[in-house]
Amino acid sequence: MNFELSQDHKVLQDAVRDFVTREIKPIAMQIDEEHMIPDELVRKMGEMGFLGSYLPDEYGGAGLDMLSYAIVVEEVSKACGSSGVLISAHTSLACGPIYTFGTEEQKKKWLPPLNSGAIIGCFLLTEPDAGSDAGAIATTYRREGDEYVVNGAKIFITNGGYKGTGVLFATSDRSLKHKGVSAFIIDLQTPGVEILKNEKKLGIRGSYTTAFALDDVRIPAENLLGAEGQGFKIAMDTLNGGRIGIASQALGIAEGAFERALAYSKERKQFGAPICDLQAIQFKLADMYARIETSKLMTYKAACLKDSKKSYTMESAMCKMLASEAATYVTKEAIQIHGGYGFICDYEVERMYRDAKITEIYEGTNEVQRVVISKLLLS
Amino acid sequence: MKILVCIKQVPDMESRFKANSQGVWFEETDLAFRMNEYDEYAVEQAVQLKEQLGDAPEVTVLSIGPDRVVEAIKKALAMGCDRGVHVQDPAAATRDPWQIASIIASHAGDKGYDLILTGMQSQDRGSAQVGVTVAEELGYACATTLVGFAFSDGTVTAKRELEGGIKGVVRLRTPALVTCQLGLNVPRYPTLPNIMKAKKKEIQTIAVAELLKEEPLATTVSFHPPARKGGGIVLEGDVGVLVDQLLGILKDKTAVLR
Ligand SMILES: Cc1cc2nc3c(=O)[nH]c(=O)nc-3n(C[C@H](O)[C@H](O)[C@H](O)COP(=O)(O)OP(=O)(O)OC[C@H]3O[C@@H](n4cnc5c(N)ncnc54)[C@H](O)[C@@H]3O)c2cc1C
């Protein structure tokens, strides 16, 4: 067993860190305040290869592995959770299923512009009445000639505001439940796709969370992803991999907050000494760090399992759960260590605290992760 | 055309240093290492020249040190160098500039490099001797502290930084060696696809014993980390003067105004 990153992964980590320090960190606060990631940054992240890290180079990806992807999302999220989830949802939830389930023609057509960042991808599963119970979706499709016609509504779609390429889930017959669900690749510029709104949120404010109305949207039959009726399986498999991305995002947010809390504890003096001399603060730092390291080990393990083509469902559920709970805990304690200053926006841990919460909710709430883990234990 | 870039991996200079058990250098454990800042300018300039000359030059990047320095070599390969040479030397940190320069010169001696680029100095030892000594040993023309670089028809036109912000321009016929200073260029980020491509580039490993024949000329006898910082600097007086003082300190001691 060897718990050290390989030299290649260290080179990558160092390169991503440099980019993040110079290009993202200085504008993270602005991204939160303006509810917007500048197009310029999205373009630069595309040039860096952040938007297709683990996809093969024949489809315009960087050809790296899942662990490299986890490192990218983690490092970016240390500075900006919004940019982290842009990468994660785009890569895991849009590029991922097209690569895994797409035909050769579909991959050749859709992946290169996604992997270069020219087009931003999203994943359209959740609906007003179907969240954790994704098999209950009510968006319908019917076949008409060589097209599918889709009607319904989708909500909470990360990256939806870019109106790029989506992986869309719809049912042929709601009474069939999950067996009726199919997946489609959709160009969100298609007539009938309407953005109802981009939500205002507690955190990850730079990330779009979009509600769509789908009104007689015509999708070419060739855009069916996988076979009809396979959609639910595609969704679950995709989220399985996606959880590694969210765990990495959560891990990065936690590390970003920890770095600041540790530095602040050494600078801030009360009662004539830095507050890190107080055992009350030292114990907080110990608890924070231990949770970060635990989450990191599990996240990297899940990524390595996926890379070695082993089963990773259990580990991806565990890393998502552990890292997101580490993130909410660590950011909360980071504010506490900052005292009143932590509550003030200028100190950034306030933003990180807000950004952390969503990681316990999306891509399967942590209650759902516990269901997944315990089911596997008892099966 | 053949180009050689010599790079060093140095610790993050913000680290807290302590002396090693022999008391002659810093203890390496727990330090994070990266490519020497000035060497990044050298790598970038070499890659820019390669691009200017339509990919024709072959750019070799060389580093002397323990296995960890391969990380710096790989970064340089991901930035666009073609091949790497790792002179494996676990004791590199104890060598004096004369020995390091001799190692490089004995590698470069029969390779016919037209141009060699190095950093102006290393961020940790800071002797600024290696580049010029290599040039001397090889009989190359040499210019130091470059802040501007142009190349055509076998001639390097170099803008040098002199004291107090004065610049001077010198011309050198190749074969030549130049040392690079902050301000020369903005090093590119290695992109993910290029990091992937770099994995396929050759890195030749050479044991230091094959190249090192020289004894040190200046042996380090002791090492002194800075005392733990006190309460910082307090500036007092007239605001106008204060601003100038502060600007001076920010310029000299930090990277914020670069
Ligand atoms: C910012 C943001 C971005 C999002 N991005 C996307 C996206 O890109 N694409 C997409 O399709 N969706 C996205 N979502 C949707 C997200 O995945 C869902 O919100 C999430 O899965 C929970 O569904 P829900 O909100 O309907 O909650 P519900 O399912 O109604 O859950 C409510 C509560 O009940 C609990 N609960 C529900 N079922 C069970 C169970 N079986 N056992 C135990 N507890 C249970 C939940 O854990 C939760 O505590 C996003 C949501 C947000 C807020």
Side-chain angles (χ1 to χ4, degrees), chain A residues 270-292:
Chain A
Q270 287 293 281
F271 303 101
I275 57 170
C276 68
D277 286 356
L278 303 167
Q279 197 178 49
I281 301 294
Q282 292 168 355
F283 279 15
K284 280 189 199 302
L285 292 169
D287 282 330
M288 292 156 82
Y289 190 68
R291 288 179 203 220
I292 287 171

Side-chain angles (χ1 to χ4, degrees), chain A residues 147-169:
Chain A
E147 289 176 333
Y148 291 101
V149 183
V150 175
N151 280 286
K154 294 286 169 184
I155 58 165
F156 298 162
I157 307 307
T158 301
N159 294 346
Y162 295 105
K163 272 197 137 186
T165 298
V167 172
L168 169 75
F169 298 86

Side-chain angles (χ1 to χ4, degrees), chain B residues 83-145:
Chain B
R83 48 192 298 280
V85 173
H86 172 208
V87 179
Q88 199 171 34
D89 183 7
T94 65
R95 312 258 181 237
D96 73 338
W98 165 247
Q99 286 181 301
I100 296 292
S102 299
I103 294 170
I104 297 171
S106 86
H107 159 79
D110 59 352
K111 302 289 184 304
Y113 293 113
D114 302 280
L115 181 65
I116 300 179
L117 298 104
T118 73
M120 171 188 81
Q121 60 183 37
S122 58
Q123 285 172 283
D124 57 352
R125 196 175 278 272
S127 77
Q129 291 185 46
V130 171
V132 284
T133 310
V134 170
E136 186 64 22
E137 289 194 66
L138 296 173
Y140 280 27
C142 179
T144 55
T145 48

